[in-house]
Amino acid sequence: MNITKILLSLIIGILFGIIPFSYLLGILKGVDLKKTGSGNIGATNLGRSLGLSYFIIGFLLDGIKGLVPVLIAQHYNLVQGFAGAGAILGHVFNPFFGFKGGKGVSTTIGVALGIVPTPFLISLVVWLIVYLGTYFVSVASISLAIVLPITTFLFGKTGLVEKILILAISILIIFSHRSNIKRLFNKTEPKTFFWGKK
């Protein structure tokens, strides 16, 4: 595999991934996500702070920044898996925030939509079912991270490299939720009702 294409794909992904859409939306509304709720700059904390409509906008924008690098890589014959991985790494380890970004779920969904659409749809349905059954965004996101690599290996029409990268990305998502997992075991993890805000 061409190392130049790999590096270029990673760089493109990272450049998109570090754009903090949800944080910027919060700032536009006078809310600093680093100083409210969980302190996370992702769409979930945006939704907790400003309501369902802002969660949806932030979720879609964070998903787009995962999808676009993959589409660029596909168009220019680069390595789509590494472009997607770069976007997620940029989102989770954002240098503008001391390498502490979002959890990477919505960006991963964008990446998965571009690379493995069928596993993406299955995983998204799982996310919705688990969330509506528990109202724990963290549990729904961890469930997605477990289902996505399984369905990718079973149904994904892509190469082994992309499948391994999807697995690695899913492990990263679970790792980024380690504080949530601890709170779940301690029964202190908050449920999220996005429609509770105006």
Side-chain angles (χ1 to χ4, degrees):
M1 190 175 292
N2 190 311
I3 189 66
T4 302
K5 287 187 175 183
I6 290 174
L7 290 175
L8 185 56
S9 300
L10 276 171
I11 291 169
I12 291 170
I14 289 170
L15 288 175
F16 276 91
I18 61 176
I19 303 172
F21 284 120
S22 293
Y23 178 81
L24 293 174
L25 283 170
I27 293 297
L28 287 174
K29 294 295 292 183
V31 175
D32 186 343
L33 294 182
K34 296 295 291 183
K35 298 178 181 179
T36 187
S38 65
N40 190 274
I41 65 167
T44 299
N45 198 32
L46 179 69
R48 288 188 183 125
S49 302
L50 295 173
L52 178 61
S53 60
Y54 280 90
F55 166 74
I56 293 172
I57 296 169
F59 188 90
L60 289 174
L61 288 173
D62 283 344
I64 287 170
K65 73 182 185 183
L67 174 62
V68 171
V70 169
L71 296 179
I72 291 173
Q74 291 173 352
H75 182 75
Y76 290 102
N77 195 29
L78 298 174
V79 189
Q80 58 181 0
F82 282 95
I88 294 163
L89 288 171
H91 179 77
V92 175
F93 302 107
N94 196 310
F96 296 127
F97 300 93
F99 296 97
K100 294 180 181 179
K103 302 292 186 180
V105 176
S106 51
T107 306
T108 296
I109 286 175
V111 172
L113 174 60
I115 299 176
V116 283
T118 299
F120 153 75
L121 290 172
I122 296 171
S123 301
L124 184 60
V125 169
V126 169
W127 189 96
L128 288 169
I129 291 171
V130 174
Y131 170 69
L132 292 174
T134 66
Y135 295 108
F136 286 120
V137 173
S138 56
V139 176
S141 299
I142 292 168
S143 299
L144 180 145
I146 292 171
V147 171
L148 181 59
I150 294 172
T151 52
T152 295
F153 275 88
L154 289 175
F155 308 114
K157 295 179 180 180
T158 188
L160 181 60
V161 171
E162 283 78 12
K163 289 178 179 178
I164 292 173
L165 283 169
I166 290 288
L167 175 61
I169 289 165
S170 297
I171 292 171
L172 175 62
I173 289 175
I174 295 172
F175 176 76
S176 71
H177 281 83
R178 58 195 183 280
S179 59
N180 304 85
I181 294 170
K182 183 178 180 180
R183 287 195 296 269
L184 285 165
F185 278 111
N186 293 335
K187 298 182 179 180
T188 57
E189 175 78 345
K191 293 186 176 183
T192 301
F193 302 92
F194 295 116
W195 47 84
K197 299 283 184 180
K198 293 182 180 179

